[in-house]
Amino acid sequence: MPTIKGQTSPPISTREWVSIREASLLGYGSQTTTLCKRIADGALTGSKVGRVTKVRRADLDSLVTPVHPPDRDFEDVEGAVERIVASAPPLYDAQVGRLSSLLGGVA
C-alpha cells in the first residue's frame, strides 16, 4: 500500500473517492478527457481536492450500461404480439391465402 505522510492509503479498488486518472486506469474511461467531459456535461459529479478532481466510485458505477439487452419473458413477447395484432388492419382473402401457402397450411 502507498503511504502518505506516514499513513497507509487503501488500494484504489476499495476507495470511495478516486482521482480522474485513477478512474481512467480502472477502466471507467479510455482517457481522462472523457471523464472530464462527463463531469462538464453533468453526467458525472466531480469534486476538487486541491488541484486534483475526484469522483465517487458509486457515481462511476452508475455510468456502466449493459452491452446486451436483458432477457424478455414470454409474457412480454406475447403481450407485444397481441398489441400488434390488435392494431393491424384486417387481411384480405388473397393475403390470407398467400400467408397460408407460405406457412404450409391449407387456405
Side-chain angles (χ1 to χ4, degrees), residues 41-65:
D41 69 16
L44 182 63
T45 303
S47 297
K48 284 280 196 178
V49 179
R51 294 191 306 168
V52 178
T53 301
K54 294 196 172 197
V55 292
R56 288 180 191 254
R57 290 289 304 271
D59 293 340
L60 290 167
D61 289 339
S62 70
L63 294 175
V64 177
T65 56

PDB file of all heavy atoms in Angstrom, residues 41-65:
ATOM      1  N   ASP A  41     -20.513  17.899 -18.685  1.00  0.00           N
ATOM      2  CA  ASP A  41     -21.901  17.840 -19.179  1.00  0.00           C
ATOM      3  C   ASP A  41     -22.892  17.381 -18.114  1.00  0.00           C
ATOM      4  O   ASP A  41     -24.068  17.231 -18.382  1.00  0.00           O
ATOM      5  CB  ASP A  41     -22.011  17.007 -20.456  1.00  0.00           C
ATOM      6  CG  ASP A  41     -21.767  15.519 -20.254  1.00  0.00           C
ATOM      7  OD1 ASP A  41     -21.791  15.036 -19.112  1.00  0.00           O
ATOM      8  OD2 ASP A  41     -21.552  14.828 -21.270  1.00  0.00           O
ATOM      9  N   GLY A  42     -22.412  17.123 -16.896  1.00  0.00           N
ATOM     10  CA  GLY A  42     -23.301  16.794 -15.790  1.00  0.00           C
ATOM     11  C   GLY A  42     -23.621  15.319 -15.640  1.00  0.00           C
ATOM     12  O   GLY A  42     -24.389  14.933 -14.764  1.00  0.00           O
ATOM     13  N   ALA A  43     -23.041  14.466 -16.474  1.00  0.00           N
ATOM     14  CA  ALA A  43     -23.294  13.029 -16.372  1.00  0.00           C
ATOM     15  C   ALA A  43     -22.554  12.406 -15.190  1.00  0.00           C
ATOM     16  O   ALA A  43     -22.902  11.324 -14.735  1.00  0.00           O
ATOM     17  CB  ALA A  43     -22.891  12.333 -17.664  1.00  0.00           C
ATOM     18  N   LEU A  44     -21.538  13.106 -14.688  1.00  0.00           N
ATOM     19  CA  LEU A  44     -20.723  12.618 -13.585  1.00  0.00           C
ATOM     20  C   LEU A  44     -20.422  13.793 -12.664  1.00  0.00           C
ATOM     21  O   LEU A  44     -20.143  14.889 -13.134  1.00  0.00           O
ATOM     22  CB  LEU A  44     -19.417  12.024 -14.142  1.00  0.00           C
ATOM     23  CG  LEU A  44     -18.427  11.417 -13.168  1.00  0.00           C
ATOM     24  CD1 LEU A  44     -19.031  10.212 -12.453  1.00  0.00           C
ATOM     25  CD2 LEU A  44     -17.163  10.987 -13.912  1.00  0.00           C
ATOM     26  N   THR A  45     -20.484  13.561 -11.360  1.00  0.00           N
ATOM     27  CA  THR A  45     -20.190  14.609 -10.396  1.00  0.00           C
ATOM     28  C   THR A  45     -18.746  14.485  -9.940  1.00  0.00           C
ATOM     29  O   THR A  45     -18.316  13.414  -9.533  1.00  0.00           O
ATOM     30  CB  THR A  45     -21.122  14.498  -9.166  1.00  0.00           C
ATOM     31  OG1 THR A  45     -22.468  14.563  -9.615  1.00  0.00           O
ATOM     32  CG2 THR A  45     -20.864  15.605  -8.172  1.00  0.00           C
ATOM     33  N   GLY A  46     -18.023  15.573 -10.035  1.00  0.00           N
ATOM     34  CA  GLY A  46     -16.633  15.604  -9.588  1.00  0.00           C
ATOM     35  C   GLY A  46     -16.461  16.624  -8.480  1.00  0.00           C
ATOM     36  O   GLY A  46     -17.229  17.575  -8.374  1.00  0.00           O
ATOM     37  N   SER A  47     -15.460  16.417  -7.659  1.00  0.00           N
ATOM     38  CA  SER A  47     -15.136  17.353  -6.575  1.00  0.00           C
ATOM     39  C   SER A  47     -13.639  17.604  -6.571  1.00  0.00           C
ATOM     40  O   SER A  47     -12.851  16.690  -6.803  1.00  0.00           O
ATOM     41  CB  SER A  47     -15.557  16.770  -5.224  1.00  0.00           C
ATOM     42  OG  SER A  47     -16.955  16.583  -5.183  1.00  0.00           O
ATOM     43  N   LYS A  48     -13.278  18.847  -6.305  1.00  0.00           N
ATOM     44  CA  LYS A  48     -11.864  19.222  -6.264  1.00  0.00           C
ATOM     45  C   LYS A  48     -11.312  19.001  -4.861  1.00  0.00           C
ATOM     46  O   LYS A  48     -11.926  19.367  -3.870  1.00  0.00           O
ATOM     47  CB  LYS A  48     -11.688  20.700  -6.625  1.00  0.00           C
ATOM     48  CG  LYS A  48     -11.820  20.994  -8.101  1.00  0.00           C
ATOM     49  CD  LYS A  48     -10.549  20.645  -8.810  1.00  0.00           C
ATOM     50  CE  LYS A  48     -10.511  21.289 -10.171  1.00  0.00           C
ATOM     51  NZ  LYS A  48      -9.279  21.013 -10.850  1.00  0.00           N
ATOM     52  N   VAL A  49     -10.133  18.394  -4.814  1.00  0.00           N
ATOM     53  CA  VAL A  49      -9.365  18.268  -3.584  1.00  0.00           C
ATOM     54  C   VAL A  49      -8.004  18.856  -3.928  1.00  0.00           C
ATOM     55  O   VAL A  49      -7.195  18.207  -4.585  1.00  0.00           O
ATOM     56  CB  VAL A  49      -9.244  16.794  -3.126  1.00  0.00           C
ATOM     57  CG1 VAL A  49      -8.414  16.700  -1.861  1.00  0.00           C
ATOM     58  CG2 VAL A  49     -10.610  16.164  -2.935  1.00  0.00           C
ATOM     59  N   GLY A  50      -7.827  20.122  -3.567  1.00  0.00           N
ATOM     60  CA  GLY A  50      -6.628  20.835  -4.011  1.00  0.00           C
ATOM     61  C   GLY A  50      -6.730  21.039  -5.517  1.00  0.00           C
ATOM     62  O   GLY A  50      -7.710  21.561  -6.013  1.00  0.00           O
ATOM     63  N   ARG A  51      -5.741  20.561  -6.254  1.00  0.00           N
ATOM     64  CA  ARG A  51      -5.782  20.679  -7.715  1.00  0.00           C
ATOM     65  C   ARG A  51      -6.264  19.391  -8.386  1.00  0.00           C
ATOM     66  O   ARG A  51      -6.327  19.313  -9.595  1.00  0.00           O
ATOM     67  CB  ARG A  51      -4.395  21.040  -8.243  1.00  0.00           C
ATOM     68  CG  ARG A  51      -3.950  22.427  -7.785  1.00  0.00           C
ATOM     69  CD  ARG A  51      -2.726  22.909  -8.488  1.00  0.00           C
ATOM     70  NE  ARG A  51      -1.605  21.978  -8.403  1.00  0.00           N
ATOM     71  CZ  ARG A  51      -0.512  22.073  -9.131  1.00  0.00           C
ATOM     72  NH1 ARG A  51      -0.381  23.037 -10.004  1.00  0.00           N
ATOM     73  NH2 ARG A  51       0.472  21.196  -8.993  1.00  0.00           N
ATOM     74  N   VAL A  52      -6.594  18.393  -7.591  1.00  0.00           N
ATOM     75  CA  VAL A  52      -6.992  17.090  -8.122  1.00  0.00           C
ATOM     76  C   VAL A  52      -8.516  16.957  -8.108  1.00  0.00           C
ATOM     77  O   VAL A  52      -9.162  17.206  -7.095  1.00  0.00           O
ATOM     78  CB  VAL A  52      -6.364  15.943  -7.290  1.00  0.00           C
ATOM     79  CG1 VAL A  52      -6.807  14.591  -7.799  1.00  0.00           C
ATOM     80  CG2 VAL A  52      -4.853  16.062  -7.282  1.00  0.00           C
ATOM     81  N   THR A  53      -9.086  16.583  -9.245  1.00  0.00           N
ATOM     82  CA  THR A  53     -10.522  16.321  -9.320  1.00  0.00           C
ATOM     83  C   THR A  53     -10.749  14.856  -8.990  1.00  0.00           C
ATOM     84  O   THR A  53     -10.093  13.971  -9.535  1.00  0.00           O
ATOM     85  CB  THR A  53     -11.064  16.612 -10.734  1.00  0.00           C
ATOM     86  OG1 THR A  53     -10.800  17.986 -11.044  1.00  0.00           O
ATOM     87  CG2 THR A  53     -12.548  16.359 -10.814  1.00  0.00           C
ATOM     88  N   LYS A  54     -11.691  14.621  -8.071  1.00  0.00           N
ATOM     89  CA  LYS A  54     -12.002  13.254  -7.658  1.00  0.00           C
ATOM     90  C   LYS A  54     -13.479  12.966  -7.896  1.00  0.00           C
ATOM     91  O   LYS A  54     -14.304  13.874  -7.931  1.00  0.00           O
ATOM     92  CB  LYS A  54     -11.650  13.041  -6.183  1.00  0.00           C
ATOM     93  CG  LYS A  54     -10.157  13.127  -5.934  1.00  0.00           C
ATOM     94  CD  LYS A  54      -9.790  12.543  -4.608  1.00  0.00           C
ATOM     95  CE  LYS A  54      -8.280  12.467  -4.484  1.00  0.00           C
ATOM     96  NZ  LYS A  54      -7.884  11.568  -3.430  1.00  0.00           N
ATOM     97  N   VAL A  55     -13.774  11.686  -8.072  1.00  0.00           N
ATOM     98  CA  VAL A  55     -15.143  11.228  -8.276  1.00  0.00           C
ATOM     99  C   VAL A  55     -15.409  10.029  -7.378  1.00  0.00           C
ATOM    100  O   VAL A  55     -14.488   9.316  -6.989  1.00  0.00           O
ATOM    101  CB  VAL A  55     -15.392  10.846  -9.759  1.00  0.00           C
ATOM    102  CG1 VAL A  55     -15.363  12.065 -10.650  1.00  0.00           C
ATOM    103  CG2 VAL A  55     -14.399   9.819 -10.241  1.00  0.00           C
ATOM    104  N   ARG A  56     -16.676   9.824  -7.066  1.00  0.00           N
ATOM    105  CA  ARG A  56     -17.053   8.673  -6.252  1.00  0.00           C
ATOM    106  C   ARG A  56     -17.118   7.427  -7.122  1.00  0.00           C
ATOM    107  O   ARG A  56     -17.591   7.465  -8.245  1.00  0.00           O
ATOM    108  CB  ARG A  56     -18.421   8.876  -5.605  1.00  0.00           C
ATOM    109  CG  ARG A  56     -18.440   9.880  -4.498  1.00  0.00           C
ATOM    110  CD  ARG A  56     -19.871   9.961  -3.959  1.00  0.00           C
ATOM    111  NE  ARG A  56     -20.006  11.085  -3.089  1.00  0.00           N
ATOM    112  CZ  ARG A  56     -20.085  10.988  -1.760  1.00  0.00           C
ATOM    113  NH1 ARG A  56     -20.104   9.816  -1.200  1.00  0.00           N
ATOM    114  NH2 ARG A  56     -20.180  12.059  -1.031  1.00  0.00           N
ATOM    115  N   ARG A  57     -16.689   6.312  -6.574  1.00  0.00           N
ATOM    116  CA  ARG A  57     -16.771   5.038  -7.297  1.00  0.00           C
ATOM    117  C   ARG A  57     -18.221   4.697  -7.626  1.00  0.00           C
ATOM    118  O   ARG A  57     -18.519   4.203  -8.711  1.00  0.00           O
ATOM    119  CB  ARG A  57     -16.155   3.909  -6.460  1.00  0.00           C
ATOM    120  CG  ARG A  57     -14.650   3.962  -6.294  1.00  0.00           C
ATOM    121  CD  ARG A  57     -13.927   3.638  -7.583  1.00  0.00           C
ATOM    122  NE  ARG A  57     -14.302   2.353  -8.120  1.00  0.00           N
ATOM    123  CZ  ARG A  57     -13.702   1.205  -7.821  1.00  0.00           C
ATOM    124  NH1 ARG A  57     -12.664   1.187  -7.019  1.00  0.00           N
ATOM    125  NH2 ARG A  57     -14.104   0.068  -8.353  1.00  0.00           N
ATOM    126  N   ALA A  58     -19.149   4.984  -6.708  1.00  0.00           N
ATOM    127  CA  ALA A  58     -20.564   4.679  -6.960  1.00  0.00           C
ATOM    128  C   ALA A  58     -21.088   5.467  -8.157  1.00  0.00           C
ATOM    129  O   ALA A  58     -21.876   4.953  -8.954  1.00  0.00           O
ATOM    130  CB  ALA A  58     -21.394   4.984  -5.717  1.00  0.00           C
ATOM    131  N   ASP A  59     -20.639   6.727  -8.298  1.00  0.00           N
ATOM    132  CA  ASP A  59     -21.052   7.535  -9.454  1.00  0.00           C
ATOM    133  C   ASP A  59     -20.475   6.962 -10.746  1.00  0.00           C
ATOM    134  O   ASP A  59     -21.140   6.964 -11.783  1.00  0.00           O
ATOM    135  CB  ASP A  59     -20.620   8.992  -9.285  1.00  0.00           C
ATOM    136  CG  ASP A  59     -21.351   9.687  -8.150  1.00  0.00           C
ATOM    137  OD1 ASP A  59     -22.429   9.201  -7.739  1.00  0.00           O
ATOM    138  OD2 ASP A  59     -20.842  10.715  -7.676  1.00  0.00           O
ATOM    139  N   LEU A  60     -19.249   6.473 -10.686  1.00  0.00           N
ATOM    140  CA  LEU A  60     -18.652   5.845 -11.862  1.00  0.00           C
ATOM    141  C   LEU A  60     -19.408   4.569 -12.228  1.00  0.00           C
ATOM    142  O   LEU A  60     -19.683   4.318 -13.399  1.00  0.00           O
ATOM    143  CB  LEU A  60     -17.175   5.517 -11.603  1.00  0.00           C
ATOM    144  CG  LEU A  60     -16.237   6.704 -11.503  1.00  0.00           C
ATOM    145  CD1 LEU A  60     -14.895   6.273 -10.925  1.00  0.00           C
ATOM    146  CD2 LEU A  60     -16.057   7.367 -12.856  1.00  0.00           C
ATOM    147  N   ASP A  61     -19.765   3.787 -11.213  1.00  0.00           N
ATOM    148  CA  ASP A  61     -20.503   2.550 -11.468  1.00  0.00           C
ATOM    149  C   ASP A  61     -21.863   2.821 -12.113  1.00  0.00           C
ATOM    150  O   ASP A  61     -22.342   2.023 -12.911  1.00  0.00           O
ATOM    151  CB  ASP A  61     -20.694   1.758 -10.175  1.00  0.00           C
ATOM    152  CG  ASP A  61     -19.387   1.145  -9.679  1.00  0.00           C
ATOM    153  OD1 ASP A  61     -18.453   0.992 -10.485  1.00  0.00           O
ATOM    154  OD2 ASP A  61     -19.313   0.822  -8.481  1.00  0.00           O
ATOM    155  N   SER A  62     -22.470   3.969 -11.792  1.00  0.00           N
ATOM    156  CA  SER A  62     -23.778   4.288 -12.373  1.00  0.00           C
ATOM    157  C   SER A  62     -23.678   4.611 -13.863  1.00  0.00           C
ATOM    158  O   SER A  62     -24.690   4.590 -14.564  1.00  0.00           O
ATOM    159  CB  SER A  62     -24.435   5.446 -11.625  1.00  0.00           C
ATOM    160  OG  SER A  62     -23.740   6.654 -11.879  1.00  0.00           O
ATOM    161  N   LEU A  63     -22.476   4.889 -14.368  1.00  0.00           N
ATOM    162  CA  LEU A  63     -22.281   5.149 -15.795  1.00  0.00           C
ATOM    163  C   LEU A  63     -22.240   3.866 -16.616  1.00  0.00           C
ATOM    164  O   LEU A  63     -22.395   3.897 -17.828  1.00  0.00           O
ATOM    165  CB  LEU A  63     -20.972   5.918 -16.026  1.00  0.00           C
ATOM    166  CG  LEU A  63     -20.877   7.330 -15.480  1.00  0.00           C
ATOM    167  CD1 LEU A  63     -19.465   7.869 -15.706  1.00  0.00           C
ATOM    168  CD2 LEU A  63     -21.898   8.231 -16.148  1.00  0.00           C
ATOM    169  N   VAL A  64     -22.023   2.749 -15.958  1.00  0.00           N
ATOM    170  CA  VAL A  64     -21.873   1.476 -16.653  1.00  0.00           C
ATOM    171  C   VAL A  64     -23.239   1.009 -17.156  1.00  0.00           C
ATOM    172  O   VAL A  64     -24.216   0.997 -16.414  1.00  0.00           O
ATOM    173  CB  VAL A  64     -21.255   0.414 -15.720  1.00  0.00           C
ATOM    174  CG1 VAL A  64     -21.167  -0.932 -16.398  1.00  0.00           C
ATOM    175  CG2 VAL A  64     -19.888   0.870 -15.236  1.00  0.00           C
ATOM    176  N   THR A  65     -23.308   0.650 -18.441  1.00  0.00           N
ATOM    177  CA  THR A  65     -24.548   0.135 -19.027  1.00  0.00           C
ATOM    178  C   THR A  65     -24.282  -1.244 -19.617  1.00  0.00           C
ATOM    179  O   THR A  65     -23.214  -1.504 -20.166  1.00  0.00           O
ATOM    180  CB  THR A  65     -25.074   1.060 -20.143  1.00  0.00           C
ATOM    181  OG1 THR A  65     -24.054   1.238 -21.122  1.00  0.00           O
ATOM    182  CG2 THR A  65     -25.471   2.405 -19.591  1.00  0.00           C
TER     183      THR A  65
END
